[in-house]
Amino acid sequence: MAQQLVKKDDDRDDEAEYSPFMGIEKGAVLQEARVFNDPQLDARRCSQVITKLLYLLNQGETFTKTEATEVFFAVTKLFQSKDMGLRRMVYLMIKEISPSADEVIIVTSSLMKDMNSKIDMYRANAIRVLCRITDGTLLAQIERYLKQAIVDKNPVVASAALVSGIHLLQTNPEIVKRWSNEVQEAVQSRAALVQFHALGLLHQIRQNDRLAVSKLVTSLTRGTVRSPLAQCLLIRYTSQVIRESGNNTQPGDRPFYDYLESCLRHKSEMVIFEAARAITELNGVTTRELTPAITVLQLFLSSSKPVLRFAAVRTLNKVAMTHPTSVTNCNIDMESLISDQNRSIATLAITTLLKTGNESSVDRLMKQITNFMSDIADEFKIVVVEAIRSLCQKFPLKYRSLMNFLSNILREEGGFEYKKAIVDSIVILIREIPDAKETGLLHLCEFIEDCEFTYLSTQILHFLGIEGPKTSDPSRYIRFVYNRVHLENATVRAGAVSTLAKFGAAVDELKPRVFVLLRRCLFDSDDEVRDRATLYLNTLGGDGSVVETDKAVKDFLFGTFDIPLVNLETSLKNYVPSEEAFDIDSVPKEVKSQPLAEKKAPGKKPTGLGAPPSGPPSTADSYQRVLSSIPEFANFGNLFKSSEPVELTEAETEYAVNVVKHIFDRHVVFQYNCTNTIPEQLLENVIVIVDNSEADEFSEVFSRPLKSLPYDSPGQIFVAFEKPEGVPTLGKFSNVLKFIVREVDPATGEADDDGVEDEYQLEDLDIVSADYTLKVGVSNFRNAWESIGPDYEREDEYGLGPRESLAEAVNTVINLLGLQPCEGTEVVPPNSRSHTCLLSGVFIGNIKVLVRLSFGLDGPKDVAMKLTVRSEDETVSDAIHEIVASG
Amino acid sequence: MILAVLFANAEGNILIERFHGVPAEERLHWRSFLVKLGADNLKGVKNEELLVACHKSVYIVYTILGDVSIYVVGKDAYDELALSEVIFTITSAVKDVCGKPPTERRFLDKYGRICLCLDEIVWKGYLENTEKDRIKRLIRLKPPTEF
């Protein structure tokens, strides 16, 4: 029989039929568990039953409360057996059942007995079981034993107590913290694992005491740490100490750097990697500090172990974001990883290469990626597409090959998220690189010819409607749009009708032909499509007369919806159905100002179709609309620029006020956005008294107060100043908010009849040079520089004095001038001693200006700068120099 | 924290699973995610060759041993390298218990012992033991030899 079994064991085909758990059933196993109650225990049989119970639990089987209780009580009987194997199973089973609090008492005495047993292994396991099932009160009783166990000679007992301590720290921190001395002693243990567990627990106990952690790290980095795992922990704690010690040390003198560097020569790969990663993550790490770490990571890239390759490329990928040049040396090794069997490694390698590659390597990289894309999953493809998008933003001249790549992958198979990522990328490139617009739009047109995603089709149609009419030959897009009317579902058809109408409204020559197409849509089977076609035909004058589309009609049909949707939603909710129809004009147009913290969040990168650039408060369009609705501003001319809102109050004060500076040729308008954050107050006749004694070239011409400012309902005050025409006049303005306060009963919402006059001091406000420049990028700086010519070129040199770093100096000048950095030149490679930054923009009066800044370190900290300006007007070139000279 | 240890057979059925700090409602998601990951990538992979993946801040190291695929999921201190240590300990212990890379049958034959090994290796999300010889003794309640 035994021989037969051996034979079967070798014969793989038969095996599956002979699963020891075949046909296992909970009820039967529970019956079998009665064997635990036998007076003469059969240890082997009991172990088998426990195995079956474990199998059931692992298969997701659940026991009812009664069943679990029965099994638990039966298992506790097994403590009578002296069989070691069975006892071990009993410990595991109790942990798996997790008895309820009222049942624990049954087993406590047996476990306490085991905890004091002479057999070490009973002690270790009893500790683990007790800590798993115990609560705070019992813990106090056994604390003494646990403290002893931590310093037990047997490493298994010590580890059991220490790991239990790590878990108990979550529930009973005050008790575990009392074990500090014993844990400290265990850290010095000769047993590697005890040291590892003790170090982990000690750090957790002391994690809020910086000095203690620092002392711990200092003493251990000098001593010996036996286990590689403990060494890794120590490296992590060391990085934490370095991070918290701040930046008050000079690079090169960094404390503990030598220790980290020495770990790079450790015999365990885990330790080497941990040290390398810690070094790459140091704040303000220098190239010199980075080099040895990059070298070991480079070696790992060609390791035979996938985990090491993965770890190395993942770390280098992160380093490439901040120190791309340091990673360049690894490019050859990384290129060979593109064909790595593990796709996670290959994707990380690709995205790293895309970050570190230079302009000349783009084409070669794209070739390699093309082969790679076909055999990876969508989630990896999305990462690659995003990396390509940023590469294209970095090297706009390479847009052709990158755009081609995107359009090729757009034609291949893929899920929604992947396709959306590609479409978003193409849209962003179209927006940012003017030269890429027409090819990009055609790629999108081809895509919608065979697009299975309604959402993407409609979004692209909307985008085509905005951008298509602005191209050199809008008629070429019509075919793609009209095909949708024949071939798609109703949602897409409706979108196509709107797009056709936009072409008709924007391009007069196309109008007759668009009308023909729209008329055909009048017979569509879907209501919405027909309604849209009818609306557009009537409003655009589809009666046959081809006239220029009225601006009001265009605004009505295609203008952005100038009522914030939140406000509309609130108003509709409050509207009570009655004789009186809902009046859309009653919806407030003011947008609630965001809390300060939100505004200061890092600026979002432009997204693709998902977030159309509307957002009422942020666009120049909506500002223009608000300003033009005030008759006093009608003769101010075109709005040149609106600044970002400047906060004039601290966060969370009674009244939140920020200001937007609107710059016109001869005027400046301050738009004060005010919010009353006190529910018990109603403010009336709110004005801002602006003192311009430090801005004497400005004279106030108009002020529009706010009649009433109820709680949490923002309102705006406008104050306009006249200034010399076309000149970047500067000045400082101090502001005081004046108003009448009326008390409000929050219960009824009624305000007192009597009000009290009050005022509230606001922060000062400056008109700075950057307010007169607009950030407008150019796709090819050199071409733009050549085409503007040297006629009005002005060049001069400036000493900027001692600066924190070259990068800080570059940033300061960019902010001072308020121009758009081009071709990624705002990023200064770390440790460079010179840098050139290219800026472009438009100066007030719509005059193009280009700036070339060459920075150099003069001595240890002093920064010198050469500023070359080219513009279409010599006064503007001079003005830019004046800004720098006076800034 | 070691968030999960999973053993599955060639068909993707779970043989053993241990979750730590993963809410019950997320477990099903993890189970199917890991099994799919294995189905996509483990074909043709040699015994004990480690594969690795990461999703946000969670790492996954997985491999195949005989008929059984093994997945370990971790976060924070348990990154890909620490997890490779954990999975190495697990595969060594399983091989030790089964005598060789196991067939599914052999794995199930040794089910109880494998559960005990796992209990010694990972305890509520922390790595407790790493040496197979020591584990072999511990599951029989024998003290370690070096002691």
Side-chain angles (χ1 to χ4, degrees), chain A residues 490-506:
Chain A
T491 314
V492 180
R493 292 204 302 275
V497 167
S498 299
T499 306
L500 280 176
K502 278 181 198 161
F503 274 85

Side-chain angles (χ1 to χ4, degrees), chain A residues 187-188 195 199 213-225 230-239 241-242 255-263:
Chain A
V187 170
Q188 306 302 330
Q195 197 176 35
L199 182 57
V213 174
S214 176
K215 272 187 187 166
L216 175 71
V217 167
T218 311
S219 73
L220 285 176
T221 48
R222 286 188 195 136
T224 45
V225 178
Q231 190 90 1
C232 286
L233 283 188
L234 184 57
I235 291 172
R236 284 191 190 138
Y237 304 154
T238 307
S239 318
V241 171
I242 295 177
F256 301 115
Y257 175 78
D258 290 343
Y259 165 72
L260 292 181
E261 210 249 356
S262 71
C263 289

Side-chain angles (χ1 to χ4, degrees), chain A residues 626-628 630-637 664 669 702 704 718-720:
Chain A
V626 172
L627 293 171
S628 58
I630 300 167
E632 284 80 358
F633 302 152
N635 58 352
F636 284 6
F664 294 83
V669 176
F702 172 71
R704 195 179 87 150
F718 294 89
V719 182

Side-chain angles (χ1 to χ4, degrees), chain A residues 9 12 15 18-19 58-59 88 95 120-121 125 128 167 197 236 273 277 306 310-311 314 342, chain B residues 14 17-18 50 52 59 67 77 79-81 103 105-106 111 119-120 123-124 127-128 138 141:
Chain A
D9 200 17
R12 292 176 56 105
E15 270 172 9
Y18 283 88
S19 163
N58 275 320
Q59 292 300 305
R88 183 65 189 80
K95 283 193 279 186
D120 288 344
M121 302 317 293
N125 279 288
R128 299 201 301 178
H167 292 298
H197 293 135
R236 284 191 190 138
F273 172 73
R277 187 165 56 186
F310 177 82
R314 184 165 70 86
N342 190 319
Chain B
I14 305 296
E17 62 176 19
R18 287 271 185 286
L50 296 189
V52 59
Y59 305 95
D67 288 353
D79 60 8
E80 62 271 46
L81 286 181
T103 58
R105 163 69 198 255
R106 183 164 269 273
Y111 196 82
D119 190 44
E120 293 292 351
W123 199 68
K124 281 176 86 179
L127 178 61
E128 194 166 353
L138 293 181
L141 284 184

Side-chain angles (χ1 to χ4, degrees), chain B residues 30-44:
Chain B
W30 271 108
R31 211 174 286 149
S32 45
F33 171 74
L34 291 176
V35 168
K36 185 175 178 303
L37 193 69
D40 288 348
N41 299 297
L42 281 174
K43 224 168 255 166

Side-chain angles (χ1 to χ4, degrees), chain A residues 319-616:
Chain A
V319 178
M321 290 183 198
T322 48
H323 299 79
T325 46
S326 304
V327 185
T328 322
N329 288 343
C330 310
N331 278 6
I332 294 176
D333 301 83
M334 234 156 344
E335 281 185 26
S336 61
L337 290 183
I338 296 180
S339 52
D340 198 293
Q341 204 188 357
N342 190 319
R343 303 285 79 185
S344 301
I345 295 177
T347 313
L348 280 168
I350 290 265
T351 47
T352 315
L353 282 167
L354 290 174
K355 283 174 201 153
T356 58
N358 50 32
E359 203 155 353
S360 58
S361 65
V362 168
D363 293 324
R364 190 162 47 90
L365 258 180
M366 296 321 290
K367 216 174 255 172
Q368 280 174 304
I369 298 176
T370 312
N371 302 330
F372 161 86
M373 288 298 270
S374 54
D375 54 19
I376 56 168
D378 274 11
E379 71 217 64
F380 295 131
K381 288 180 181 168
I382 293 172
V383 178
V384 175
V385 168
E386 279 163 3
I388 287 176
R389 179 198 303 167
S390 5
L391 184 73
C392 197
Q393 286 169 311
K394 196 164 137 198
F395 302 123
L397 283 180
K398 285 286 168 194
Y399 79 88
R400 267 202 188 84
S401 59
L402 295 167
M403 190 69 105
N404 270 340
F405 176 84
L406 290 174
S407 76
N408 284 337
I409 55 172
L410 194 55
R411 280 189 217 118
E412 283 161 19
E413 285 296 303
F416 172 74
E417 291 297 334
Y418 173 48
K419 292 285 163 114
K420 184 169 178 293
I422 304 173
V423 170
D424 282 351
S425 299
I426 294 181
V427 167
I428 287 173
L429 299 185
I430 291 174
R431 285 209 186 113
E432 294 195 2
I433 307 171
D435 295 345
K437 186 192 254 184
E438 303 225 350
T439 41
L441 286 177
L442 280 175
H443 289 316
L444 292 178
C445 282
E446 274 169 33
F447 174 60
I448 52 170
E449 287 282 36
D450 189 21
C451 172
E452 54 185 311
F453 306 108
T454 301
Y455 174 84
L456 288 181
S457 291
T458 49
Q459 296 287 302
I460 291 174
L461 283 169
H462 174 75
F463 186 67
L464 267 178
I466 299 168
E467 296 295 336
K470 297 180 202 158
T471 57
S472 57
D473 181 10
S475 64
R476 67 204 297 197
Y477 305 103
I478 298 286
R479 174 170 65 88
F480 298 99
V481 180
Y482 187 63
N483 279 348
R484 309 278 67 71
V485 178
H486 286 296
L487 303 170
E488 305 282 358
N489 61 38
T491 314
V492 180
R493 292 204 302 275
V497 167
S498 299
T499 306
L500 280 176
K502 278 181 198 161
F503 274 85
V507 189
D508 290 330
E509 305 86 76
L510 287 180
K511 223 173 227 175
R513 288 187 271 168
V514 166
F515 286 157
V516 173
L517 300 178
L518 283 178
R519 271 189 216 111
R520 288 188 192 165
C521 302
L522 292 174
F523 304 102
D524 194 280
S525 58
D526 184 79
D527 291 355
E528 174 70 20
V529 180
R530 286 197 308 276
D531 287 355
R532 283 195 191 191
T534 314
L535 172 73
Y536 293 135
L537 278 169
N538 286 333
T539 44
L540 293 175
D543 49 1
S545 58
V546 177
V547 287
E548 197 179 322
T549 313
D550 189 29
K551 190 176 173 302
V553 172
K554 270 192 198 169
D555 283 350
F556 165 64
L557 291 179
F558 311 118
T560 42
F561 193 54
D562 62 350
I563 298 169
L565 289 178
V566 190
N567 296 7
L568 180 62
E569 188 187 350
T570 322
S571 301
L572 281 170
K573 276 184 186 160
N574 294 339
Y575 172 68
V576 184
S578 63
E579 291 287 302
E580 200 180 331
F582 179 76
D583 179 11
I584 200 158
D585 290 332
S586 67
V587 182
K589 291 185 182 172
E590 285 86 12
V591 186
K592 208 176 194 177
S593 68
Q594 293 162 303
L596 194 63
E598 251 176 67
K599 277 191 182 152
K600 286 195 173 163
K604 266 197 179 170
K605 289 208 161 169
T607 49
L609 292 170
S614 46

Side-chain angles (χ1 to χ4, degrees), chain A residues 858-875:
Chain A
D858 186 11
K861 290 277 179 191
D862 283 352
V863 177
M865 178 182 79
K866 185 163 91 176
L867 167 69
T868 317
V869 188
R870 283 187 181 186
S871 79
E872 295 166 331
D873 186 330
E874 61 182 322
T875 53

